[in-house]
Amino acid sequence: MAVIGTSVEKGGRVRHYRFYDLLLAGFVAVLLCSNLIGPAKVCEIHFPFALPVIGAALVFGAGNIFFPISYIFGDVLTEVYGYARARRVIWAGFIAMVFASVMSRVIIGLPPTPTEPFNATLQPALEIVFGNTWRIVAASIVAFWAGDFVNSYVLARMKVLTRGRFLWTRTIGSTIVGQGVDSVIFYPVAFAGIWEGQTVAAVIAFNWFFKVMVEVVMTPVTYWAVAWLKRHEHEDYYDRDTNFTPFSLED
């Protein structure tokens, strides 16, 4: 197995990538921040007039703005470096989320010392922000894992089918499917039996649409990043003979 930032090609030649490890770090950072910081706040934006379906106010979780950026990272990684190298990044994100969840539970569970007055303010705040139930934690991790792998797989297959043309169809199409899988897993696992079925369905539909629209708006940035990386990395990988199992770290 190659180390991060390298790839062993046919013939044993080692290929070094200049920016792969930076993209991996950026992906993990966005993933952790959007899952740990973003969900703690629900936002409301008022419009001067009512919009169809939405109405005069838009209510959404702050994390929904930033979580789709992880899909943009996934699109760029798969488009430039291929599914196998994107797969390693997804596993890095998965492990980081598990560690962050375990660390949060341990820190919250440790008894605060009464000799430090600030703990009286800090402990309840930590419990509110990071004290998610096991259902929400499990739903978030599983939904991310499944959604990101589906996103990467769809993009890789579409790239071969389109012969590398029409990048926007791959980035948006893979996000439609990947975010759909993410939302369909997360909300029922986290809130079924707590929310009414109609509410769960409405939240799934809205958040899926919202995240896809973020991808659409960011399409010019994705085009620029893909073109820049292909030019500087001298890589434009096609997954023609790739083993698409998620349970591997091989290039």
Side-chain angles (χ1 to χ4, degrees):
M1 182 177 66
V3 299
I4 293 176
T6 68
S7 176
V8 180
E9 299 182 336
K10 293 181 179 179
R13 184 170 70 92
V14 178
R15 175 73 180 275
H16 294 272
Y17 295 114
R18 297 169 58 191
F19 303 104
Y20 175 81
D21 52 349
L22 296 178
L23 289 170
L24 185 154
F27 174 87
V28 173
V30 170
L31 182 67
L32 288 179
C33 289
S34 61
N35 278 276
L36 294 177
I37 302 174
K41 184 173 183 178
V42 177
C43 305
E44 183 173 350
I45 297 177
H46 292 271
F47 303 109
F49 48 85
L51 297 175
V53 181
I54 297 175
L58 176 63
V59 180
F60 60 94
N64 287 336
I65 298 176
F66 296 98
F67 179 70
I69 298 176
S70 68
Y71 272 67
I72 296 172
F73 272 93
D75 291 344
V76 171
L77 283 159
T78 305
E79 175 69 23
V80 178
Y81 303 101
Y83 174 88
R85 298 180 189 101
R87 174 172 57 198
R88 298 172 68 184
V89 174
I90 295 171
W91 274 113
F94 176 84
I95 293 170
M97 286 186 65
V98 171
F99 175 78
S101 300
V102 172
M103 180 178 173
S104 297
R105 301 308 300 178
V106 171
I107 290 177
I108 291 173
L110 289 172
T113 175
T115 60
E116 172 53 61
F118 183 60
N119 277 339
T121 301
L122 179 62
Q123 181 67 21
L126 289 173
E127 292 174 359
I128 291 172
V129 176
F130 298 109
N132 290 326
T133 66
W134 70 266
R135 284 182 60 179
I136 294 177
V137 171
S140 179
I141 293 174
V142 173
F144 150 74
W145 185 87
D148 265 55
F149 270 117
V150 169
N151 178 78
S152 185
Y153 173 80
V154 171
L155 190 143
R157 298 295 290 179
M158 287 184 66
K159 182 175 182 180
V160 175
L161 291 173
T162 60
R163 300 178 183 178
R165 299 173 295 173
F166 315 120
L167 174 60
W168 65 272
T169 64
R170 301 194 292 281
T171 59
I172 297 175
S174 63
T175 298
I176 289 173
V177 181
Q179 292 283 12
V181 170
D182 182 284
S183 297
V184 166
I185 292 175
F186 174 74
Y187 291 103
V189 172
F191 300 111
I194 300 174
W195 294 353
E196 294 184 0
Q198 185 177 358
T199 301
V200 172
V203 171
I204 288 174
F206 172 78
N207 283 280
W208 169 79
F209 178 79
F210 188 94
K211 293 172 183 177
V212 170
M213 287 301 101
V214 172
E215 174 74 42
V216 172
V217 171
M218 293 295 289
T219 295
V221 177
T222 305
Y223 262 78
W224 174 85
V226 165
W228 191 90
L229 283 167
K230 286 180 178 180
R231 184 168 64 253
H232 286 81
E233 295 281 43
H234 305 289
E235 182 64 278
D236 186 7
Y237 197 87
Y238 283 78
D239 287 286
R240 294 188 176 93
D241 301 310
T242 299
N243 179 1
F244 284 102
T245 176
F247 303 105
S248 174
L249 295 177
E250 297 294 332
D251 283 341

